Amino acid sequence: MADVNPSAAIATVLLDELIRQGVREIVLAPGSRSAPLAYAAAAAERAGRVRLHVRVDERSAAYLALGLAKTTRMPVPVITTSGTAVANLYPAVLESAHGYVPMILLTADRPQELRGTGANQTTDQVKIFAGSTRWFHEFGTPERRAGQQAIWRSVIGRAVAESRGYPSGDPGPVHLNVPLREPLVPDSLDDSADTAADWPESLTGRPHGEAWLSLRRPDSHGRGVVTGFGIAPVPRTLVLLGDLPAPHHSSQLAELADAAGWPIMAEPFGAYRRGRVTPNGPLLLRAHEWLDEHLPERVLIGGRVTLDREIARLLRNPAVTVEAVTPLTSWADPGHVVRRVHDWDDIERSHQAVSSCVDRAWASQWRAAGQAVATAAVPLIESSWPSGPAVARAVVHNLPAESGLYVGSSNTARDVDLARDPREITHGVVAVGNRGLAGIDGVVSSAIGFALSRSPRPSYALMGDLTFLHDSNALLIGPDEPRPDLTIVVINDNGGGIFSTLEPGRDALSGPYERIFATPTDTTISELCAAHGIEHEYVAEADVLAARIAKPGKGIRVCEVRIPREGQREFRAELAAVATAALAPKAEA
């Protein structure tokens, strides 16, 4: 066989060790300098060891990897060439970091002698993502000599561990920079670095496919006796579920609330038993007079709660004690109101202590209030079709069992929060979104990755038109690439409708509003889909949308619902008024 060059050797070893560590998905954005890594990834796929996804847009590639890892919690390597290709990963790196999603960035680079010389596609890639990664390592430029395999494989072991948050950190992105010298391609496709007889040392790794570095997962064994007070049995406790790193986290905290009997408010993310969750999000918190008379003594928060300002108002109330429980090394507290922080282990060991501790009369009043608000608000939401909340309700209430939903940012997540009754969502549904930084970028790519990771279970995505258009390159999928069964519902109000519900939407500021905030595009989404060979359908009726959701099709398809942008601010004010009226004291006859 022909001699194996150093670039092929390191590439094959890195990919082999990633697979030994449990990696099963790889995303590749092709380029010249990264050719050795591309050949190694393709060879691993031919051997049936991984599934390879090729994308021509690095930003889309990175968000695809993020979506693939969102619920599996296993990092997905993203392979890129040097230069601007690396910079295009940055948005997804930030989302991975703030959303605690595992990811490995495997970036090819020029060798040290070409840096700072004006060589083509060469920039400083060393720690290019600054403090946004959990760990960074630059390999030495590979050479034909012994003593390198142990370095290459041990670095991969640590990279996977750091990305997954083992043994005591937080999950997130890891950056591995790989300088490569020419030649960058093998003499033939039969060249195999892992069995190269001409190489100065064996490159086959440990026997029997064992990983070079083995780490025991921190949750795979008991931690022994845990001391401390745990979560106290406060009878009037309201549990708030925000966005948490893994869907099962919401289930665990919801089960504690069920054991205690505490009412729950939950943003529309995660997977959890929904029996005690208040319907229609925090609408009842808009009834300030009722709330002041039924305040919780304590609010127990899990995750980041970001969708509704009434939640922030409640947490700022000095009469309410705010406590957080976190599975991470940190916790969210933008209002600086948290007085006590609990480790996630406190949930399991507090079940007996809080069992049935709730103030039953108080909890009954909260349940009755939630039902009263739902009874008043649901007819208004359903009669508002076509509106964002009406579309969101039609989607989430018709999801099949065990399906997955990727929720877009901006108005979409808030529409789902206000419109849904969690008790009417069928069992096994998992809902996630890019809530780390809550940007509109990369949502389509992330949803495709999420759907690929959950196949053959059906998946859905719900987003606005700007979110869809911002990531339309996600539809650049080659004919040989894996495609999921994914129904994308696009709520098209021809612009950024959320701004009409915020301060810029006030009548006094209406002059420049349309151009600098609403930003209509007049894009014909059907023609955009046709250019990519994506099935598209205009949906004008709620029952038609419900049918499309209940019986998903094959492949990627887009259901577009056009809604008016005008009146969104007024509609939300009407919802608040209805909720307040439903909980107002009844006048005596």
Side-chain angles (χ1 to χ4, degrees), residues 572-583:
R572 281 159 178 74
E574 189 176 359
L575 276 176
V578 163
T580 300
L583 299 182

Side-chain angles (χ1 to χ4, degrees), residues 126-306:
V126 175
K127 297 190 176 181
I128 191 173
F129 304 118
S132 299
T133 56
R134 300 291 185 257
W135 189 59
F136 168 83
H137 179 84
E138 179 172 49
F139 291 95
T141 306
E143 300 171 341
R144 185 177 298 280
R145 61 177 175 82
Q148 297 172 105
Q149 174 185 228
I151 299 171
W152 298 340
R153 291 186 182 273
S154 64
V155 166
I156 289 296
R158 179 168 178 180
V160 173
E162 295 277 3
S163 182
R164 301 187 74 183
Y166 297 166
S168 58
D170 294 335
V174 164
H175 181 198
L176 301 178
N177 202 47
V178 190
L180 298 171
R181 290 192 181 100
E182 296 179 349
L184 301 172
V185 299
D187 290 337
S188 73
L189 294 179
D190 294 330
D191 293 352
S192 177
D194 59 352
T195 58
D198 65 309
W199 196 259
E201 65 174 331
S202 171
L203 296 177
T204 56
R206 300 201 189 280
H208 312 300
E210 182 184 353
W212 197 266
L213 175 66
S214 297
L215 283 176
R216 175 181 288 181
R217 291 178 50 177
D219 56 356
S220 66
H221 61 290
R223 298 190 183 185
V225 177
V226 182
T227 59
F229 295 104
I231 298 173
V234 178
R236 295 191 175 189
T237 293
L238 173 66
V239 174
L240 291 182
L241 285 173
D243 182 53
L244 283 153
H248 71 271
H249 287 141
S250 56
S251 300
Q252 292 168 347
L253 187 51
E255 287 168 3
L256 180 73
D258 284 348
W262 297 326
I264 306 172
M265 280 191 171
E267 292 190 344
F269 310 109
Y272 49 89
R273 289 164 53 194
R274 294 169 165 86
R276 294 185 186 275
V277 177
T278 304
N280 303 105
L283 266 182
L284 72 77
L285 299 186
R286 286 154 172 75
H288 295 162
E289 183 177 346
W290 180 90
L291 181 62
D292 290 342
E293 295 177 357
H294 300 83
L295 274 178
E297 180 182 349
R298 176 181 67 182
V299 174
L300 184 64
I301 304 175
R304 295 174 66 242
V305 182
T306 61

Side-chain angles (χ1 to χ4, degrees), residues 10-22:
I10 188 173
T12 302
V13 170
L14 296 185
L15 268 295
D16 176 66
E17 192 60 33
L18 282 167
I19 294 167
R20 289 171 183 244
Q21 289 287 348

Side-chain angles (χ1 to χ4, degrees), residues 30 99 108 177 243 409 417-418 442 464 467 530 576:
N177 202 47
D243 182 53
S409 299
D417 193 32
L418 291 178
T467 299

Side-chain angles (χ1 to χ4, degrees), residues 386-393 395 411-413 415-416 461-468 488-495 497 525 545 558-564 568:
S387 70
V391 174
R393 184 175 177 87
V395 169
N411 255 355
T412 305
D415 288 340
V416 176
L462 179 65
M463 64 192 72
D465 56 300
L466 291 187
T467 299
F468 179 80
I488 303 173
V489 178
V490 180
I491 304 174
N492 187 356
D493 62 2
N494 195 27
I525 291 177
L545 180 61
V558 171
C559 294
E560 180 184 351
V561 184
R562 293 179 173 178
I563 70 170
Q568 296 189 34

Side-chain angles (χ1 to χ4, degrees), residues 397-410:
H397 283 197
N398 289 281
L399 292 168
E402 307 297 329
S403 61
L405 175 66
Y406 221 94
V407 182
S409 299
S410 197

